[in-house]
Amino acid sequence: MLLSNKQREDFLARFNEICEDEGFGESTWTIDLCYLLKRFHIKHCMYTILLGVNEDYRRHGYYDRIMHLDTQRVYSRFRDALDSGVQAVERSVSMKELVSHLTDRGPAIVLVDAGLLSCDLCKHNKLKAEFRRCFGSNYYRGHYVLLVGHTARRLLYRDPALSPRLCATAPRRLQQARLTSGTDHDIIFIYNSYR
C-alpha cells in the first residue's frame, strides 16, 4: 500500500525472486518488512520491545509452526540492521507518539492481533470481532494494517485483507490489538506523506 504503481508492478512481477532474495518464505516478520521498505527506498523506523525472537510465543499455534524456520534469520536481520541502513529501536510507542507521527510525518505499519481489531465502519467485520471478544479466541492471528490518519475519536487505517477502503477504530481498540501477546508492540513509522 506504500509502493508507487511502478514499484508495485516490479514487486509483483519479481515476487518470488524478491522473497527468495530476502530469505523469507511463508512467514514475514516486521524486521522483514523493514528490509523490503529499504529495498524500495521508503524512509522508516521500526519500534519493538524485543530486537529478536520471543521464544515464549511458541505457545501460539502460529509461531510454534514457524519459529524453528525463522529464528536465525530474524536474529541476523536485527544484528545487521544498522549496517544495512535499517533502523530498529527497542522500545514501545505511546498512543500520543503514534497520533503525533500520523499528524506530522506520515503513516505507520502496525502489527496487531487481527481477532482483536475491528472497523467501526464495517458491520460484518465488527460483528465477528465482537463475537470473538465475548466468547474468546484461543489463538493469535498476527496481521499488519497501515494507519493513515485520525479524527478526534478514531484512528483511520487501511487493511490489506479488505477491499481498498478506509477503516476506522477507537484508539482503545487499536491498543488492545497492538499491545497483546504476540505483537512485541511492533510498529514501523513511515517518513513520507501519502495524503
Side-chain angles (χ1 to χ4, degrees):
M1 289 189 275
L2 294 169
L3 300 178
S4 68
N5 287 337
K6 184 178 179 183
Q7 289 172 321
R8 189 175 302 111
E9 288 171 10
D10 176 53
F11 180 66
L12 292 174
R14 300 182 326 122
F15 181 78
N16 290 333
E17 175 189 338
I18 290 171
C19 289
E20 187 175 322
D21 186 43
E22 292 292 337
F24 54 85
E26 294 182 22
S27 64
T28 306
W29 293 60
T30 309
I31 190 67
D32 294 321
L33 292 180
C34 292
Y35 278 81
L36 283 173
L37 292 169
K38 171 74 173 140
R39 176 186 281 259
F40 288 100
H41 310 288
I42 297 174
K43 188 176 176 188
H44 66 281
C45 181
M46 175 186 174
Y47 295 89
T48 180
I49 59 169
L50 180 65
L51 298 173
V53 175
N54 187 336
E55 297 290 337
D56 292 341
Y57 291 162
R58 285 189 188 278
R59 65 186 166 91
H60 297 294
Y62 171 77
Y63 282 116
D64 186 42
R65 291 188 307 272
I66 64 161
M67 192 80 75
H68 69 283
L69 300 172
D70 296 342
T71 300
Q72 185 174 347
R73 176 178 52 79
V74 171
Y75 275 116
S76 294
R77 292 214 137 187
F78 276 113
R79 183 191 64 234
D80 300 339
L82 197 55
D83 291 338
S84 299
V86 172
Q87 188 176 7
V89 178
E90 192 171 21
R91 75 173 181 85
S92 189
V93 171
S94 70
M95 183 55 66
K96 183 177 179 180
E97 290 174 290
L98 177 55
V99 169
S100 176
H101 178 82
L102 292 172
T103 301
D104 299 332
R105 306 302 296 267
I109 299 171
V110 181
L111 177 59
V112 297
D113 183 330
L116 299 176
L117 183 66
S118 63
C119 175
D120 293 340
L121 307 175
C122 308
K123 288 182 182 178
H124 179 68
N125 180 327
K126 191 171 183 175
L127 286 173
K128 286 193 310 188
E130 291 301 325
F131 185 78
R132 281 190 301 268
R133 268 195 284 283
C134 290
F135 297 102
S137 175
N138 59 355
Y139 64 96
Y140 165 78
R141 294 185 304 145
H143 183 63
Y144 293 100
V145 296
L146 180 68
L147 294 179
V148 295
H150 63 91
T151 66
R153 293 191 173 101
R154 297 284 180 258
L155 294 169
L156 307 175
Y157 68 96
R158 296 198 182 277
D159 184 337
L162 302 175
S163 62
R165 64 174 171 245
L166 196 61
C167 291
T169 194
R172 171 188 50 77
R173 188 172 298 126
L174 178 74
Q175 287 292 77
Q176 288 173 338
R178 181 174 90 81
L179 304 181
T180 190
S181 175
T183 67
D184 287 336
H185 305 193
D186 287 1
I187 188 166
I188 304 171
F189 282 175
I190 307 299
Y191 291 98
N192 295 337
S193 179
Y194 290 87
R195 294 191 179 111

